[in-house]
Each structure stands twice: as structure tokens, then as C-alpha cells.
Amino acid sequence: MKPKVHILGTGGSISGIGPHRLDYTLYPDSGKKLTIADLLGRIPEARELAELSGEDLLQVGSPSIGPAEWLQILGRIDATPAAIVITHGTATLEETAYFLHLTVKSARPVVLTGAMRPPTSVGTDADLNLLDAIRLAAAPEAAGRGVLTILNNEIQSARDVAKSNAFRVDTFHSRDFGVLGYVDSDARVLFYRSVTRPHTTATPFDVRGRKDLPRVDVVYAYAGADGVLVDALTERRPAGMVLVGFGGGSYPAAFLDAGKRAVKAGVPVVLATRSWNGRVVTTPKKDADGFIVCDDLMPQKARILLMLALTVTKGRAAIQEMFYKY
């Protein structure tokens, strides 16, 4: 029997309809999208790989996908016994993927894919990316590896992957660590490494049934940044905040002082870096000031982990341990 794969459509460039075959920039403005049935109609070969079903859960650009939509997607995954493919816009694909990587309570494959060129354009990557995603989700060896992404034939972990280019089809990279494997030109699914950080069923983050998540905001530092934005955010009393600095954890003095005031006001504050690679390292001074460090997570993913951590605990030491663990 063929494996069962259910496709959740959320919109994005992979379903975009442009005004002509040479359009690569205007299609988001039209708001027109192909359905999952339309996308599958373009790749009839996919039905040789799996018993397919699908639904159009959302039809939006991924800038319109956030915590409420993550919970909606998670609910559909939880209600569906098949392996899952999610079609998604590339702008926030890595964030949706990491949220699901930490919250899906199943070992079955969950695969996200998207496209950098709409299916109506010359040279589109939409068809092959969706075909590869179905092939990957149908592969037994994809199970138990957490949430995966597949674009440009490259299998990557939701924890590590990040978008690096606004237009190129090879935009997704895993920074220091590289790809997990490939869905290669001979149609084989090949894995070469595994992610060792716990995920899915091995995390304490069970948010099934929740209507919302704790609010966490992100503030970027820059040369000469003062504390105005951080103080303004502290007055709004978010559940937590991520402060994005330089290198391994340095900040303009006034900016960091505002972060200390946030900590004293009872707001958990995670320190992250705008550098593409590397960790934010704690020091005795950072510990004494009450900060949490993000390890090597990108700021947008540090935000997600802090949101989820706050559903379990508000203890600084426990949250810090989660950043070292997940």
C-alpha cells in the first residue's frame, strides 16, 4: 500500500498567480492563488508516490501567518493521521517550521515547502519543490527527525534553517551546520546527518487547545541605539522580549541598560545576535543582570522558543536551560 500524505495549503508564492509568464514580483499584489488541487494537477506523477489528500487551510502570503495561524495549523496536523506536507510562503516558513518542530506531538513526517518563483512564471521551482516534499513525507526514513523543510532538493531541519536571499531559489541555508540530506536527481531520499537537539514528542511544549500564545517582541540594536524602544516596549508589559545585539552578545550601553530595566520590571529578556552564525555566550555579568542567552538561535526563533517556554514556566533558570537544550 502507498503511504498516506495529507497536504495543507496556506498560500505563498508556491500558489501565486502572476499577470504574465515573466512576472516574479507583482503576483503577491493580485491576491490570486492556486488551490492544492490545482497544484497537484500540475504534477500527476505525485500520485505514484503516495495516497494523497489535501485542503486549503489558508490562502495568504506568509507575512500574514503568525501565532494564531500556527495554532490552527498545529490543530489540523493533530487531527490528521497521515504524513503531512505544508505549502507555505518563504518569508516566515522557517518560523512556522520551528514552532511545529517544538510542538507537534508525533514522530510522523511533517514537511514544509514553498517556492521562490510562482507557478505561473518561467523557471518556477513550485512544481519540483512540492513533488520533492511529497516524496520526502512518504519516505519511512523521514519519520522521527522533527519537522523538515525541502526546497531546491535540500532537506533541512526546522531548527537550523533560515532564509538568506530575497529572490534566489537556493535561499534556504542551515548556517553553521548544513543540510540534512537531499531528495536527489535520481528521485532518492538521502539523509547524511541527524539533528541531536530534542524536538516534537521530546519537548514539554504541549499547546494543543490553546487559543493564543504569550506575546514576545523583538528589538534590534544598531550603532548608537539608546533605550527608547526597549523602554517603550517595557511599558506595554509584554510576556517577554528578545534584544538583538552584535557578535556574541554586545550592545550599546544605553540599550542594554534599558534591557536591565525590563528585567527588573519582571519581563524575561533573551539576548540574541544579528550575526548570521555563532552563539550568544553568557557571562557572570549577564547572569547577575538576569538576562537569558539564546545559544545559537536566530532572533525570530529565539522569540518562538521564549513564547513556548513561557507556557511552561516563568523561572529564568528553567528558561535558560531550555535555550541550551532545544
Side-chain angles (χ1 to χ4, degrees):
M1 293 180 62
K2 295 177 184 176
K4 294 182 179 181
V5 175
H6 187 69
I7 304 167
L8 297 174
T10 68
S13 298
I14 193 169
S15 62
I17 299 175
H20 53 76
R21 279 166 39 88
L22 298 182
D23 171 58
Y24 303 93
T25 59
L26 301 178
Y27 63 91
D29 297 336
S30 75
K32 299 177 181 178
K33 307 286 184 185
L34 296 178
T35 65
I36 291 298
D38 294 332
L39 293 176
L40 289 176
R42 296 168 58 91
I43 48 169
E45 299 86 351
R47 297 196 179 275
E48 300 172 11
L49 305 175
E51 182 182 328
L52 299 177
S53 58
E55 61 184 284
D56 296 292
L57 185 62
L58 303 165
Q59 282 198 320
V60 297
S62 63
S64 297
I65 294 179
E69 290 73 25
W70 297 340
L71 291 168
Q72 185 180 1
I73 294 167
L74 179 64
R76 290 302 301 136
I77 294 172
D78 191 46
T80 307
I84 297 291
V85 168
I86 301 170
T87 61
H88 198 289
T90 58
T92 62
L93 185 149
E94 67 203 66
E95 292 172 73
T96 298
Y98 187 51
F99 171 80
L100 296 174
H101 186 70
L102 294 175
T103 58
V104 168
K105 296 307 172 191
S106 169
R108 58 200 158 93
V110 176
V111 179
L112 278 80
T113 193
M116 294 301 293
R117 299 169 180 167
T120 52
S121 69
V122 174
T124 181
D125 52 334
D127 297 336
L128 185 56
N129 284 350
L130 180 54
L131 185 65
D132 281 350
I134 293 167
R135 192 182 301 278
L136 177 58
E141 55 267 44
R145 296 180 183 268
V147 173
L148 304 171
T149 70
I150 177 79
L151 298 94
N152 202 38
N153 302 130
E154 296 173 335
I155 305 169
Q156 306 198 57
S157 170
R159 184 190 185 277
D160 303 328
V161 72
K163 185 174 180 178
S164 66
N165 192 289
F167 290 108
R168 304 290 83 82
V169 296
D170 62 342
T171 182
F172 282 95
H173 297 279
S174 290
R175 304 181 296 133
D176 279 336
F177 307 115
V179 302
L180 300 182
Y182 303 96
V183 177
D184 224 338
S185 299
D186 59 356
R188 293 182 63 195
V189 174
L190 303 168
F191 282 96
Y192 293 94
R193 71 177 185 91
S194 296
V195 171
T196 60
R197 296 288 178 101
H199 53 72
T200 53
T201 58
T203 79
F205 310 122
D206 190 346
V207 295
R208 292 172 293 185
R210 289 185 67 104
K211 300 301 182 184
D212 55 25
L213 296 169
R215 175 170 182 141
V216 174
D217 291 287
V218 181
V219 185
Y220 271 72
Y222 46 86
D226 59 21
V228 169
L229 294 178
V230 179
D231 284 334
L233 181 57
T234 301
E235 289 181 9
R236 298 294 299 271
R237 291 295 190 273
M241 68 173 75
V242 177
L243 301 185
V244 187
F246 317 124
S250 58
Y251 297 79
F255 185 92
L256 192 61
D257 285 343
K260 296 174 188 177
R261 291 191 287 273
V263 172
K264 290 180 179 178
V267 179
V269 177
V270 171
L271 303 182
T273 177
R274 68 186 198 181
S275 297
W276 178 245
N277 291 316
R279 298 164 55 223
V280 175
V281 179
T282 195
T283 65
K285 183 68 165 63
K286 290 186 178 74
D287 283 339
D289 290 334
F291 291 121
I292 300 160
V293 296
C294 74
D295 194 56
D296 72 328
L297 287 176
M298 297 288 285
Q300 59 271 30
K301 292 186 179 180
R303 171 183 176 247
I304 291 167
L305 182 50
L306 182 55
M307 293 168 75
L308 292 172
L310 290 169
T311 68
V312 176
T313 180
K314 291 182 172 56
R316 175 184 169 275
I319 294 173
Q320 181 63 82
E321 186 59 31
M322 289 175 181
F323 275 89
Y324 289 143
K325 187 172 184 178
Y326 303 110

